[in-house]
Amino acid sequence: MCPQANSGDGGQGVHVVLGNEACDMDSMVSVMAYAYFLSKTLGSSRPVLPLLNVPRSEFPLRTDNVFLLRQAGVPQELLLFREQLDLLQLQRDGRLTLTLVDLNVLPSSDRDLEGAVVEVIDHRLLEREPSASCLVTVEMVGSCTTLVTERILQKAPEVLDPQLALLLYGTIVMDCVNMAPEAGKVTPKDSQYAAQLEARFPGLPPRGALFQSLQNARFDVSGLSTEQMLLKDMKVLTGGELQLAVSVIYLTLEVFLERDKLEDDMSAFCVKHGYNMLLAMTISFTDKQPFRQLAIFSHSALCREEVGTTDKCFYLFLLGVNKMAAGTRGGEGEEEEEEDTQFPPTPMNSLVEGCPLDNGLPRISAQALEEKFSKMSARQERAQSP
């Protein structure tokens, strides 16, 4: 169902459908489905290209996206990624027409493309200025895919097939948390179009089973490299010369520490991205209760001194809510009582939406790590002062 992802256009104009930079499931499917719809209904020789607004190298981090495409039988080779199409050059040449989905205002890095935007479909608060040259559809529903489904069913229902229906239905169900009202995401329109897809395509997977499989895929990191695991759900904290990466990893610490050449991989990750400290927070579940642990790595002697260790890599076992134990990879330390402080919240650039860390992490240490990092930053700034 995906229009052929051919980055060359032979000198003619192209109509590009572009989503947001998170390239989550809603953005990906909205891009693919709406580009397919336009390719079937515009009646123009101008190619319509679905462009995923992320580098190809980062796409495997969207494990739920990868899973849904596999279930729908869409080969990744058909996908077109951001680095494969020079939008700015197309705009300069006067050959670009742009439709935005799951996005209504371009980021500053793409502002030069604004003149090419002819249509917007989004489910977030409208931020763009009104323009007679741009058709805008913005409605606060649970999923942008709901609005794309509405457009297809109203204008060209014949383009729907089982493959496209699965992509649309899976995304609506996932975005709307299995259509559960208590989750606060689903709206009557989401329910209406999910029900219409179910009625038209009775062979769709059962709603609950599909949601659970997509949810499991979102937190499945088994096929990722160490670098990909660290990038999947990461936040960067800076201050002075401190460059701290905080990564959330959905494994037990024991399983994470068993990875081959882990310390070498963490070292290479810090060097490649310019971090002088890395916190890998692992999270697993016991009887549906989250169990969190930390692995901490740093090349910096100053950072290690502030945290209270001489080892480049050490770990913290978080024993429930009130206790923790510390040690190196060679042994365990003593338990400490905690104080009334909290760790930094869930990463803002997280690829994991609706994860168990949305309300922040538990109170975990006698001297809160966040306070330590602030002190480290202040000390480094003082050291640089004349």
Side-chain angles (χ1 to χ4, degrees):
M1 50 76 42
C2 187
Q4 290 299 309
N6 180 5
S7 59
D9 68 346
Q12 65 178 315
V14 294
H15 190 145
V16 173
V17 181
L18 182 71
N20 62 53
E21 293 175 301
C23 195
D24 57 9
M25 188 183 297
D26 195 19
S27 179
M28 177 190 75
V29 172
S30 293
V31 163
M32 294 171 62
Y34 201 62
Y36 183 68
F37 164 76
L38 291 178
S39 72
K40 296 294 186 181
T41 59
L42 282 182
S44 169
S45 61
R46 173 178 292 195
V48 181
L49 301 180
L51 183 63
L52 302 187
N53 201 0
V54 67
R56 179 179 289 275
S57 62
E58 293 182 13
F59 187 70
L61 307 183
R62 282 79 175 166
T63 48
D64 48 350
N65 290 12
V66 172
F67 177 84
L68 181 60
L69 291 179
R70 187 184 305 122
Q71 293 299 108
V74 178
Q76 289 190 38
E77 293 76 18
L78 291 180
L79 304 180
L80 184 65
F81 294 92
R82 184 60 194 262
E83 73 274 17
Q84 295 177 265
L85 198 61
D86 190 340
L87 295 182
L88 185 57
Q89 189 59 55
L90 287 170
Q91 169 69 349
R92 288 170 176 165
D93 293 343
R95 296 189 289 129
L96 178 65
T97 300
L98 196 59
T99 291
L100 306 181
V101 293
D102 202 24
L103 172 73
N104 69 72
V105 62
L106 289 165
S108 57
S109 57
D110 285 331
R111 287 294 167 82
D112 289 342
L113 305 177
E114 181 60 43
V117 178
V118 296
E119 186 174 10
V120 166
I121 302 177
D122 197 12
H123 66 133
R124 281 175 283 243
L125 185 67
L126 183 63
E127 298 181 56
R128 68 181 296 110
E129 296 295 326
S131 168
S133 62
C134 180
L135 174 65
V136 175
T137 302
V138 171
E139 188 172 343
M140 305 296 282
V141 292
S143 177
C144 185
T145 310
T146 295
L147 302 178
V148 174
T149 303
E150 177 182 47
R151 183 68 61 85
I152 294 172
L153 285 172
Q154 288 181 348
K155 301 293 185 180
E158 67 277 4
V159 308
L160 270 177
D161 58 23
Q163 183 184 57
L164 179 54
L166 176 57
L167 292 171
L168 294 168
Y169 181 66
T171 305
I172 295 172
V173 168
M174 189 64 169
D175 271 355
C176 297
V177 196
N178 203 22
M179 319 308 286
E182 59 270 21
K185 295 290 292 292
V186 66
T187 69
K189 179 166 284 191
D190 297 301
S191 297
Q192 174 188 349
Y193 284 101
Q196 286 196 32
L197 289 170
E198 290 170 339
R200 284 174 171 270
F201 298 92
L204 286 170
R207 182 184 295 180
L210 179 59
F211 173 76
Q212 192 58 58
S213 63
L214 291 170
Q215 185 80 345
N216 291 342
R218 173 172 284 179
F219 298 110
D220 181 10
V221 296
S222 59
L224 301 184
S225 67
T226 298
E227 180 180 21
Q228 289 172 328
M229 284 186 183
L230 295 171
L231 287 171
K232 179 177 173 65
D233 197 3
M234 185 183 76
K235 179 180 181 179
V236 178
L237 306 176
T238 62
E241 292 187 356
L242 177 65
Q243 298 288 326
L244 168 67
V246 182
S247 297
V248 180
I249 296 173
Y250 295 90
L251 293 173
T252 65
L253 181 60
E254 290 81 359
V255 171
F256 183 61
L257 291 177
E258 288 173 358
R259 293 184 67 83
D260 188 41
K261 298 181 180 179
L262 176 65
E263 197 164 325
D264 290 343
D265 289 344
M266 295 173 80
S267 176
F269 180 82
C270 288
V271 170
K272 178 179 178 180
H273 298 281
Y275 305 133
N276 47 26
M277 180 170 279
L278 168 64
L279 272 68
M281 165 162 283
T282 65
I283 179 168
S284 55
F285 293 86
T286 303
D287 297 327
K288 297 185 179 181
Q289 296 300 313
F291 182 65
R292 303 167 177 91
Q293 300 166 290
L294 292 177
I296 304 178
F297 180 90
S298 179
H299 287 116
S300 167
L302 175 59
C303 290
R304 297 198 302 271
E305 177 186 340
E306 290 286 353
V307 175
T309 182
T310 58
D311 300 280
K312 285 186 178 180
C313 184
F314 68 100
Y315 55 83
L316 303 172
F317 286 103
L318 310 187
L319 309 178
V321 177
N322 296 317
K323 300 277 189 177
M324 79 173 186
T328 68
R329 292 193 70 178
E332 296 183 3
E334 297 298 323
E335 293 183 359
E336 297 179 358
E337 296 293 334
E338 71 155 9
E339 289 185 354
D340 189 20
T341 50
Q342 288 191 322
F343 198 73
T346 306
M348 295 302 293
N349 64 334
S350 171
L351 300 178
V352 178
E353 182 182 357
C355 73
L357 306 184
D358 280 346
N359 295 321
L361 304 181
R363 298 161 182 164
I364 61 174
S365 72
Q367 299 296 323
L369 291 176
E370 185 178 12
E371 181 181 342
K372 278 188 174 291
F373 301 140
S374 296
K375 289 180 179 178
M376 290 158 56
S377 174
R379 178 171 173 176
Q380 291 172 348
E381 289 174 348
R382 288 196 299 271
Q384 297 174 48
S385 301

